[in-house]
Amino acid sequence: MRVLLISALAVVFPASLFANGPEPVAPKPTVTCEQGMVYDKKTKKCVPAQDSRLTPDDLFQTVRELAYAGDYVGAQTILAAMPQDDDRTLTYMGFTNRKMGNAEAGMSFYTRALKVNPANILARSYMGQGMVEQGNIADALAQLRAIRSYGGTGTWAETSLRTAIATGQTFNY
């Protein structure tokens, strides 16, 4: 019986889907602020996203938290206060648009992010996942190969896209 169970699990959950890559750690919101506001750790207050004391990393962390929570409009509000030619901004604009059902706009943002930084493996992973959603597995595989060629083997970007290709299930973070 035990052998049968192990064999069945091996078929349903192949180890190759989960090997070679860490599971992402979901961002935990530090403090919930009103829309367009970001928690400033230094002042311990919610401040407008345009506040000059905030670092780009502070803003991106807030965007990640909002996107993970499914608040794509809130994430886009913060993204609007960020440099619009930054590949990370473009990547998250692509992600939030795609998750809100604007696949074409999402793909356009990913393309722009990759023009700025062809080695942006997160943009490649999200773009590939969008391709999986559209049934375009051949191009998703091309993105997976590109992630690996840029040294992304074993990263969350590679693992999540590989899993999406294998299962058809994409990620919301």
Side-chain angles (χ1 to χ4, degrees):
M1 178 78 162
R2 179 179 276 161
V3 173
L4 182 59
L5 178 61
I6 291 170
S7 297
L9 288 174
V11 171
V12 176
F13 298 106
S16 63
L17 287 180
F18 304 103
N20 298 324
E23 281 294 309
V25 176
K28 302 275 193 246
T30 47
V31 173
T32 302
C33 297
E34 292 179 34
Q35 190 158 334
M37 304 289 276
V38 175
Y39 182 72
D40 180 14
K41 293 174 195 159
K42 294 173 198 122
T43 63
K44 299 189 184 331
K45 295 180 183 175
C46 292
V47 298
Q50 299 83 357
D51 192 306
S52 63
R53 294 172 290 190
L54 296 171
T55 68
D57 287 339
D58 292 333
L59 296 171
F60 279 114
Q61 181 61 31
T62 300
V63 168
R64 279 190 75 229
E65 291 170 1
L66 292 168
Y68 184 79
D71 184 359
Y72 305 124
V73 172
Q76 285 186 348
T77 300
I78 304 301
L79 287 164
M82 301 171 74
Q84 298 302 296
D85 59 348
D86 182 280
D87 67 302
R88 291 191 302 174
T89 301
L90 294 166
T91 298
Y92 282 105
M93 284 299 294
F95 178 82
T96 55
N97 271 281
R98 182 171 62 88
K99 288 301 179 179
M100 291 190 310
N102 304 324
E104 189 174 319
M107 294 306 222
S108 176
F109 279 110
Y110 296 141
T111 299
R112 289 175 53 200
L114 292 172
K115 282 183 183 172
V116 173
N117 179 8
N120 182 331
I121 62 173
L122 185 61
R124 290 189 179 282
S125 181
Y126 287 150
M127 178 181 249
Q129 290 181 54
M131 292 167 174
V132 168
E133 291 169 348
Q134 296 171 346
N136 187 350
I137 304 303
D139 285 345
L141 284 166
Q143 290 303 321
L144 182 62
R145 286 190 294 276
I147 289 168
R148 291 172 176 162
S149 75
Y150 283 106
T153 301
T155 63
W156 182 86
E158 189 255 358
T159 302
S160 62
L161 180 52
R162 182 170 28 93
T163 301
I165 291 168
T167 66
Q169 299 296 311
T170 61
F171 291 81
N172 288 332
Y173 46 88

